[in-house]
Amino acid sequence: MIYESEDPLELPVLDVCEALDSSALSSLGAACREWGFFQIINHGISKDLFTKIYSLSNSFFSLPSESKLKLGPSSPLKTYTPLFIASPFFESLRVSGPDFAASAKNSTDALGHHDNDNDNDFSEIMQEYGTRVTELSKTILRLILMTLGKELDSKYYESEFQQCHGYMRINNYSSPRSSEEEEAEGLGMHTDMSCVTIVYQDEIGGLQVRSREGRWMSIAPREGTLVVNVGDMLQAWSNDRLRSSEHRVVLGRRKGGGSRFSLAYFWCFEDHKVVLAPDDVVGEHDARMYKPFVCSDYLTFRENTERGKFDKVGFTVKDFAALPQNNIT
Ligand SMILES: O=C(O)CCC(=O)C(=O)O
Ligand SMILES: [Fe+2]
């Protein structure tokens, strides 16, 4: 039973509307070091907004595959990842910022089956969600920077993270059928390439994070709560003081039958950014873990590596840019 996980992991729940006191800040710091995952509430994104995205996305995922493939890997847009690429159960649609409405419209236009009302609603709702989750990413990044040291947020937020950009992946996981296994990987083990990722998962569950010792822990869905995780770019920028953990999605046949829905927002450094941990983030006594690298070179490395393809791990930022003496995983 390789998919079995330990008891659900208790991750700190951060109220993003409140100023963090020192104990909240220290539990956030501990979670980012140890797991690279935590949860947030009071994020200002209503259940109603998720419900609308869910229903509009469902109309897209219910289309015949010939239609969806108009946005697939061999199309000019490449916003749709069909089933059987990441896994037999996973398909997704990408909507990119900062003009989320235009990106969503490009996709619906390319489908060419004009349902104007639905298409406009989809663009509007993606713009609203994208704008909110982008603001949220900025707030969260500042909080994470605060855990690295006094005043590091004001020192580095503007200078290092000002050009960050984001994109969304709307994920649809179909359930393994009775002729198939009881449980299956919906999305294989991977690390995210972002600075931070913000995930909404529906009530079905299945998201798991891997401990340093290799144990899989479940992150149970909680109403009103979003999951945040640190990605590879921030792990490298923080010289490993923040952890980009391996995670995956496991689908259980008995866990409700229908498909699982999630929305992942990836907040990333700009492509041409050179990632290099500042001296005061590395600290006087610690060794530098990574050589400087250009973001887009890392993205290309991941895309072009068979094992790293479509976020299936194997290769992470350590394989790409760790200095030789530190290249031990
Ligand atoms: O579906 C989920 O809960 C997580 C998805 C994920 O890890 C990703 O899209 O990178
Ligand atoms: Fe992920």
Side-chain angles (χ1 to χ4, degrees), residues 169 187 190-192 197 229 247 266 311:
R169 230 168 34 201
L187 194 58
H190 67 280
T191 58
D192 291 347
T197 305
N229 65 281
H247 54 284
F266 303 93
D311 288 353

Side-chain angles (χ1 to χ4, degrees), residues 279-312:
D279 287 340
D280 53 357
V281 170
V282 174
E284 272 172 40
H285 306 295
D286 286 323
R288 188 169 278 283
M289 306 299 282
Y290 300 91
K291 60 185 180 200
F293 65 91
V294 178
C295 261
S296 57
D297 290 344
Y298 176 50
L299 304 185
T300 308
F301 167 81
R302 283 280 292 260
E303 269 161 28
N304 293 343
T305 316
E306 200 45 48
R307 259 210 303 157
K309 235 177 184 169
F310 292 100
D311 288 353
K312 280 179 174 236

Side-chain angles (χ1 to χ4, degrees), residues 169 171 173 187 190 192 199 201 207 247 249 260 262 264 266 311:
R169 230 168 34 201
N171 300 325
Y173 300 84
L187 194 58
H190 67 280
D192 291 347
V199 177
Q201 57 166 339
L207 178 60
H247 54 284
V249 175
R260 175 182 185 271
S262 74
F266 303 93
D311 288 353

Side-chain angles (χ1 to χ4, degrees), residues 55-283:
S55 110
L56 290 165
S57 308
N58 255 343
S59 332
F60 169 76
F61 289 118
S62 318
L63 293 172
S65 58
E66 312 87 82
S67 301
K68 292 184 282 190
L69 284 172
K70 290 179 185 164
L71 315 177
S74 342
S75 75
L77 273 183
K78 302 183 175 43
T79 48
Y80 173 62
T81 301
L83 298 169
F84 290 100
I85 289 191
S87 94
F89 312 103
F90 173 92
E91 57 183 334
S92 81
L93 180 68
R94 195 182 67 240
V95 181
S96 302
D99 195 343
F100 297 94
S103 171
K105 186 170 184 309
N106 283 341
S107 287
T108 51
D109 282 355
L111 289 173
H113 67 96
H114 305 298
D115 175 350
N116 285 337
D117 284 350
N118 240 11
D119 293 355
N120 290 340
D121 285 355
F122 185 59
S123 283
E124 261 175 43
I125 213 89
M126 292 325 288
Q127 185 63 41
E128 182 176 349
Y129 185 76
T131 308
R132 284 176 186 270
V133 84
T134 301
E135 285 311 307
L136 209 48
S137 303
K138 295 178 183 172
T139 306
I140 287 166
L141 198 63
R142 292 194 85 123
L143 296 174
I144 295 178
L145 291 181
M146 281 164 77
T147 70
L148 292 178
K150 242 177 141 199
E151 284 150 26
L152 284 187
D153 71 314
S154 45
K155 185 164 179 192
Y156 289 121
Y157 176 73
E158 298 282 334
S159 58
E160 294 277 317
F161 296 91
Q162 205 58 13
Q163 308 291 321
C164 278
H165 66 103
Y167 68 95
M168 225 123 53
R169 230 168 34 201
I170 308 173
N171 300 325
N172 189 48
Y173 300 84
S174 51
S175 173
R177 276 181 247 243
S178 49
S179 57
E180 293 159 347
E181 43 294 48
E182 288 279 297
E183 283 198 318
E185 264 183 356
L187 194 58
M189 176 173 89
H190 67 280
T191 58
D192 291 347
M193 292 179 269
S194 53
C195 284
V196 291
T197 305
I198 301 182
V199 177
Y200 165 80
Q201 57 166 339
D202 70 10
E203 67 292 343
I204 291 176
L207 178 60
Q208 295 182 351
V209 56
R210 194 165 178 260
S211 74
R212 290 188 199 276
E213 298 75 39
R215 274 176 301 135
W216 284 107
M217 311 291 286
S218 294
I219 301 179
R222 285 167 63 138
E223 173 106 36
T225 302
L226 295 173
V227 175
V228 180
N229 65 281
V230 170
D232 291 351
M233 291 178 186
L234 201 53
Q235 173 175 291
W237 184 87
S238 70
N239 202 46
D240 281 358
R241 292 177 62 192
L242 303 166
R243 179 169 177 227
S244 171
S245 301
E246 291 104 350
H247 54 284
R248 67 177 181 181
V249 175
V250 167
L251 305 168
R253 181 147 57 85
R254 285 165 301 178
K255 284 190 200 137
S259 61
R260 175 182 185 271
F261 172 78
S262 74
L263 261 175
Y265 180 72
F266 303 93
W267 182 239
C268 307
F269 280 135
E270 66 276 23
D271 284 356
H272 58 270
K273 162 127 188 128
V274 176
V275 180
L276 175 64
D279 287 340
D280 53 357
V281 170
V282 174

